[in-house]
Each structure stands twice: as structure tokens, then as C-alpha cells.
Amino acid sequence: MLIEPNFAFIAGTPALCFVDTVADRGRLATDRLRKPTDLDIWLKAAGLDTGGARPASPDDLLQTRELREAIYRCGMAAVGGAPFDPADIACINRHAQQPPLRPRIEGATVVLQAKRPIEAALSTLAADAIAILTGSSRQRIRICPECAMMFVDTSRPGKRRWCSSATGCGNRAKVRRHRAKHLQPE
Ligand SMILES: [Zn+2]
């Protein structure tokens, strides 16, 4: 059992790191945002919190998951060259219409502020999703063939296949191919 949610920020963009709070989609599909406090922890880890905000509520978590799955489905549509579902677009647009997080310089650091911090964080994520899903990066959305993580390929040649070498997905597949080759009967 995980005590600390195992959050990773390697998808190349906040909206897809958000999508990846469901790990191993297509197989176990482990949701790392299980309870409202997980959302508080993730927002802080993602740098999308305002400091002393009220804790997330069960309804916030519901809204969050709804937005996350809408972004996921649109990402899958982009990968498959399919059109977006209008209901998913409506959901993303609705969140993006909320006032986003606003930065302010305090001393040498940036502090985010918002009247409604969680709605604002979701608005910021929705805006990022819109940028990813509609810009040139739409062609760069990838699904890791090993762990099903969604990410945007920011490499210059645009040939990144695996989520990240740090997680070992590319290496795991290489080892498997190597073993398969050597186990084949002559
Ligand atoms: Zn992977």
C-alpha cells in the first residue's frame, strides 16, 4: 500500500501530468487521487496551490476527475487522429472559463493567488490542456507502450516513444526483446 501518493511530473506539461494521476491506464488503472487530501497534495506538488487554501472537498475531487478524464479522452482522440467528443470539450471549456491562478512576486518568490483556489487550479489545467490539444503539440501527444502514460514529446526530433528513461519503460521493453530473441529455438 502506498502511504504517500506516488506522483510523477514527467509528462512534459501540467495537463498531461494531471492525466497521469491515473497510473497504468488500460491495465490496473490506479487512481492516485483517491481522496480529497490527495488532490491537495498533488496541487501542491504540481505548484498549483495558493498556500493556505481551504482543503479540497469530495465535490472538488469529483470535478477534478471529470476534467481529468475529459482531457484524457481528448488526448486519446488526438493520438488516434479522431475528433474530440463535444461533451469533453464543453467540460474543458467550462473549467477554462473560471478565473485562473494569478502569480504575484513576494520577495524573490512567486506566490499564486485566487479567490477560489481549487477552481482556479482546474482552470489553469484546462487552459494548458486547450493549448496542448489544439496547438502544434497535438501531433506530439504520445502514449507510452509500456505503462500507458500520456505525455507530450518535447524532443527536437519528435521521436520519443517511451514515457521517460527514468522509469525504465524503454529499457524494460529492450530487455524483454533481448530475452525473447535468445529464448527462441534455433
Ligand atoms: Zn512508460
Side-chain angles (χ1 to χ4, degrees), residues 144 146-147 149 163 167 169:
C144 175
E146 190 74 8
C147 71
M149 197 191 108
C163 60
T167 67
C169 276

mmCIF file of all heavy atoms in Angstrom, residues 144 146-147 149 163 167 169, ligand 1:
data_model
loop_
_atom_site.group_PDB
_atom_site.id
_atom_site.type_symbol
_atom_site.label_atom_id
_atom_site.label_comp_id
_atom_site.label_asym_id
_atom_site.label_seq_id
_atom_site.Cartn_x
_atom_site.Cartn_y
_atom_site.Cartn_z
ATOM 1 N N CYS A 144 2.845 5.945 -23.795
ATOM 2 C CA CYS A 144 3.956 5.010 -23.606
ATOM 3 C C CYS A 144 3.436 3.583 -23.816
ATOM 4 O O CYS A 144 2.465 3.177 -23.182
ATOM 5 C CB CYS A 144 4.544 5.149 -22.202
ATOM 6 S SG CYS A 144 5.835 3.934 -21.855
ATOM 7 N N GLU A 146 4.554 0.914 -22.858
ATOM 8 C CA GLU A 146 4.825 0.032 -21.727
ATOM 9 C C GLU A 146 3.861 0.288 -20.556
ATOM 10 O O GLU A 146 3.289 -0.639 -20.016
ATOM 11 C CB GLU A 146 6.281 0.240 -21.278
ATOM 12 C CG GLU A 146 6.794 -0.770 -20.283
ATOM 13 C CD GLU A 146 7.083 -2.138 -20.905
ATOM 14 O OE1 GLU A 146 7.024 -2.262 -22.147
ATOM 15 O OE2 GLU A 146 7.344 -3.072 -20.142
ATOM 16 N N CYS A 147 3.691 1.560 -20.187
ATOM 17 C CA CYS A 147 2.894 1.860 -18.980
ATOM 18 C C CYS A 147 1.656 2.690 -19.288
ATOM 19 O O CYS A 147 0.918 3.055 -18.388
ATOM 20 C CB CYS A 147 3.764 2.572 -17.946
ATOM 21 S SG CYS A 147 4.203 4.259 -18.407
ATOM 22 N N MET A 149 1.344 5.693 -20.035
ATOM 23 C CA MET A 149 1.400 7.083 -19.613
ATOM 24 C C MET A 149 1.258 8.012 -20.816
ATOM 25 O O MET A 149 1.818 7.740 -21.874
ATOM 26 C CB MET A 149 2.741 7.345 -18.935
ATOM 27 C CG MET A 149 2.753 8.601 -18.112
ATOM 28 S SD MET A 149 4.449 8.993 -17.633
ATOM 29 C CE MET A 149 4.701 10.404 -18.676
ATOM 30 N N CYS A 163 7.769 6.829 -22.111
ATOM 31 C CA CYS A 163 7.441 7.941 -21.227
ATOM 32 C C CYS A 163 8.686 8.642 -20.718
ATOM 33 O O CYS A 163 8.816 9.833 -20.832
ATOM 34 C CB CYS A 163 6.575 7.459 -20.075
ATOM 35 S SG CYS A 163 7.336 6.203 -19.045
ATOM 36 N N THR A 167 11.926 6.025 -15.644
ATOM 37 C CA THR A 167 11.013 5.000 -15.142
ATOM 38 C C THR A 167 11.399 3.625 -15.690
ATOM 39 O O THR A 167 10.873 2.616 -15.262
ATOM 40 C CB THR A 167 9.550 5.274 -15.551
ATOM 41 O OG1 THR A 167 9.464 5.126 -16.962
ATOM 42 C CG2 THR A 167 9.100 6.653 -15.145
ATOM 43 N N CYS A 169 10.864 2.341 -18.683
ATOM 44 C CA CYS A 169 9.950 1.675 -19.627
ATOM 45 C C CYS A 169 10.672 1.248 -20.902
ATOM 46 O O CYS A 169 10.514 0.123 -21.348
ATOM 47 C CB CYS A 169 8.779 2.582 -19.979
ATOM 48 S SG CYS A 169 7.456 2.507 -18.759
HETATM 49 ZN ZN ZN B 1 6.167 4.221 -19.558
#
